[in-house]
Amino acid sequence: MHDVAVLALPGVVPMDLAAPLEVFGRCRLPSGAPAYRTAVCALTEEVETGTFTMRVPHGLPRLAQASTIIIPGTADLDVPIDPAIIDALRSAADRGTRIASLCVGAFTLADTGLLDGLRATTHWAAASELARRHPAIDVDAAVLYVDNGHVLTSAGAAAALDLCLYMVRQDYGSAVAADTARLSVMPLERAGGQAQFIVHEPPVPSGTTLRPLLNWMEENLGEQLDITAIAAKATMSTRTLNRRFQEQIGTTPLQWLHHARLRQAQFLLETTDHSIERVAGQVGFNAVTTFRERFRDLVGTSPQRYRAQFRIPR
């Protein structure tokens, strides 16, 4: 029987805490026996979640018994992690314990240094901050989860369930994982490389000199903009424009434009009945086949399926 310890930090996100307990707690072997033993651990006997106070039955020494440690996210990323927790997680890693973070729990895992030099993910809205605080980590905001062997990370919300089911599949095979997924009313087939669906804008520092240009680009997404036209609007050479974008935005003008077009396409798919062809034209794609390919590459699903999942009823 695998032993799973879920670490409850101050301000723990209740959903992140409950997800692994539900998945591993429901998992059964073909014989009907439990596949996992689960335990919630904390540094203190009581943990404040922000909405309720929780009594925790186990202290940090319980982590030493676990074959897997789960680190849920916390509400405040600026609260320092107690050194005793960092030491306990590092000691567990030295023993070969599998450690997985859920959502912004990646920040706690990153503070241990265990993600340095590795690829990792977190909730897309926090990915740029994780990369800023921990430049040694290769942060990938576009996937559901990342497996580095004994160290795993997941994106937000439902991706925590995806990662837990993935670990069940690793431990006991697809049949047990499929039964667990059915009990959790979750699809089993969402792979880690699938996108988080949201095409997010790279962070733009307040006061950036490029903000007027970015606004103009967003207002003209349907036009056939190229680097020459954008540079002319900015009254810069293309070389200077590319350098300024890299310095202030962290990407190129055309990459930023590409993401902006697909963000607008998502909005139109969610809020209008326009055909896929019309949406493609509205956001600047001459060929609908190109639009479908680019949309799938970045969002991880087709425009039709995205609309079916996220269409806002009117």
XYZ file of all heavy atoms in Angstrom, residues 6-9 40-47 56 58-61:
122
model
N -0.293 14.542 2.794
C -0.658 15.837 2.229
C -0.268 16.904 3.242
O -0.713 16.873 4.397
C -2.168 15.901 1.922
C -2.516 17.244 1.282
C -2.572 14.751 1.000
N 0.565 17.835 2.802
C 1.116 18.848 3.689
C 0.193 20.073 3.738
O -0.054 20.715 2.712
C 2.498 19.260 3.208
C 3.258 20.292 4.026
C 3.494 19.800 5.443
C 4.593 20.622 3.344
N -0.325 20.388 4.914
C -1.225 21.531 5.085
C -0.437 22.709 5.644
O -0.090 22.743 6.827
C -2.374 21.168 6.017
N -0.162 23.679 4.798
C 0.549 24.880 5.215
C -0.444 25.956 5.638
O -1.628 25.894 5.284
C 1.398 25.403 4.050
C 2.501 24.466 3.556
C 3.125 25.022 2.284
C 3.555 24.265 4.625
N -2.983 13.751 6.564
C -2.750 15.196 6.471
C -1.756 15.569 7.561
O -1.929 15.200 8.727
C -4.048 15.996 6.635
C -3.774 17.503 6.576
C -5.058 15.599 5.557
N -0.706 16.302 7.172
C 0.368 16.666 8.100
C 0.551 18.179 8.114
O 0.295 18.864 7.115
C 1.677 16.016 7.671
S 1.581 14.237 7.415
N 1.010 18.692 9.248
C 1.262 20.129 9.366
C 2.289 20.370 10.447
O 2.589 19.492 11.269
C -0.025 20.883 9.670
N 2.802 21.580 10.463
C 3.768 21.962 11.485
C 3.094 22.185 12.826
O 3.689 21.978 13.884
C 4.501 23.238 11.042
C 5.652 23.728 11.909
C 6.761 22.683 11.981
C 6.196 25.048 11.354
N 1.830 22.606 12.795
C 1.054 22.890 14.011
C -0.214 22.052 14.035
O -0.649 21.530 12.999
C 0.679 24.383 14.074
O -0.037 24.732 12.881
C 1.930 25.254 14.160
N -0.831 21.953 15.213
C -2.040 21.137 15.341
C -3.249 21.760 14.656
O -4.182 21.050 14.276
C -2.368 20.902 16.823
C -1.369 20.014 17.538
C -1.785 19.739 18.971
O -2.829 20.267 19.393
O -1.065 18.984 19.643
N -3.251 23.066 14.519
C -4.337 23.752 13.836
C -3.787 24.562 12.675
O -2.730 25.185 12.792
C -5.109 24.671 14.788
C -5.914 23.918 15.836
C -6.835 24.853 16.616
O -6.688 26.086 16.478
O -7.712 24.338 17.336
N -4.530 24.571 11.574
C -4.139 25.317 10.375
C -5.315 26.179 9.949
O -6.432 25.689 9.788
C -3.721 24.371 9.229
C -3.478 25.163 7.946
C -2.478 23.578 9.613
N -5.319 19.277 12.499
C -4.521 18.347 11.695
C -3.995 17.234 12.597
O -3.380 17.501 13.631
C -3.353 19.088 11.022
C -2.532 18.130 10.171
C -3.892 20.229 10.160
N -1.598 14.950 12.206
C -0.209 14.501 12.157
C 0.752 15.680 12.021
O 0.465 16.663 11.351
C 0.018 13.552 10.976
C -0.864 12.345 10.992
N -0.650 11.280 11.838
C -1.978 12.049 10.265
C -1.583 10.365 11.632
N -2.402 10.806 10.688
N 1.913 15.543 12.653
C 2.965 16.546 12.539
C 3.927 16.207 11.420
O 3.758 15.217 10.693
N 4.996 16.984 11.312
C 5.950 16.777 10.231
C 6.655 15.420 10.274
O 7.012 14.879 9.214
C 7.005 17.900 10.248
C 6.521 19.302 9.875
C 7.715 20.254 9.776
C 5.732 19.303 8.583
N 6.877 14.817 11.471
C 7.538 13.500 11.459
C 6.793 12.457 10.626
O 7.409 11.493 10.143
C 7.557 13.116 12.944
C 7.612 14.435 13.655
C 6.741 15.337 12.846
